Amino acid sequence: MNRNSGWLPQRIYTLATLLYFGAVLLRSILDYNDSSSFLPILAVLFLGLVLFISEPFLSKLSRYTFLVYLVIQTLLIFFLLTMPDSPDYFATLLTILSMQVMLQIEAKKGALWIGLCAVAIFLLLKGIYGIPQAIALSLVYSASNVIFG
């Protein structure tokens, strides 16, 4: 059920997606270019980009294809959140997925997915940043998911 009914929301969605992905890619290059994590990060970002580009075609195959796509993309982002140093910015990629989720599935299910992602962000970041910082980061990224989703 695609709620996108006009060209303007599609253009805004595309622009926001490009800006978010570009920012994450640039920060990854700046933060990890001398790290052994750099190539795995680039590989996961590339795979996520290929999936993102192919999603409109994949979703036409079956009504369940989007859900499989969503699970794979979410797990890729969660993997990125396990990187050493300061990986919290990878959570911004969930904003792209939030926009897709709210366009493709029922609002209640989309809200549930956003809530589960908030918990996962907290759990994945608490070991790196500590509980108070992980709560704050989870709330900030979840707010973006709600606003843009």
Side-chain angles (χ1 to χ4, degrees):
M1 152 187 9
N2 190 334
R3 291 186 186 88
N4 186 0
S5 60
W7 66 270
L8 183 59
Q10 183 63 39
R11 300 263 192 244
I12 292 169
Y13 164 72
T14 302
L15 178 61
T17 298
L18 290 172
L19 291 172
Y20 271 114
F21 186 81
V24 169
L25 179 62
L26 181 59
R27 175 121 184 238
S28 297
I29 292 168
L30 294 172
D31 285 357
Y32 290 98
N33 67 347
D34 294 330
S35 168
S36 62
S37 302
F38 185 57
L39 289 179
I41 288 170
L42 285 183
V44 170
L45 288 174
F46 179 74
L47 178 58
L49 181 61
V50 168
L51 285 170
F52 174 78
I53 290 169
S54 61
E55 183 274 325
F57 307 106
L58 294 173
S59 290
K60 291 178 184 177
L61 299 175
S62 164
R63 66 183 201 156
Y64 299 107
T65 309
F66 179 77
L67 296 176
V68 172
Y69 162 85
L70 179 63
V71 168
I72 293 170
Q73 286 283 51
T74 303
L75 291 175
L76 289 174
I77 295 168
F78 290 166
F79 171 76
L80 291 171
L81 286 169
T82 67
M83 292 292 115
D85 300 325
S86 55
D88 64 280
Y89 66 92
F90 289 118
T92 60
L93 294 172
L94 290 170
T95 304
I96 296 170
L97 284 181
S98 295
M99 290 186 280
Q100 288 179 301
V101 163
M102 297 312 283
L103 287 171
Q104 298 288 334
I105 66 174
E106 298 170 28
K108 285 183 182 181
K109 290 178 183 175
L112 175 63
W113 177 83
I114 289 172
L116 292 173
C117 286
V119 172
I121 291 169
F122 166 75
L123 293 173
L124 291 167
L125 296 180
K126 75 177 179 137
I128 297 170
Y129 297 104
I131 291 175
Q133 184 77 0
I135 291 171
L137 289 168
S138 179
L139 291 174
V140 166
Y141 291 121
S142 297
S144 292
N145 294 345
V146 170
I147 291 169
F148 288 102

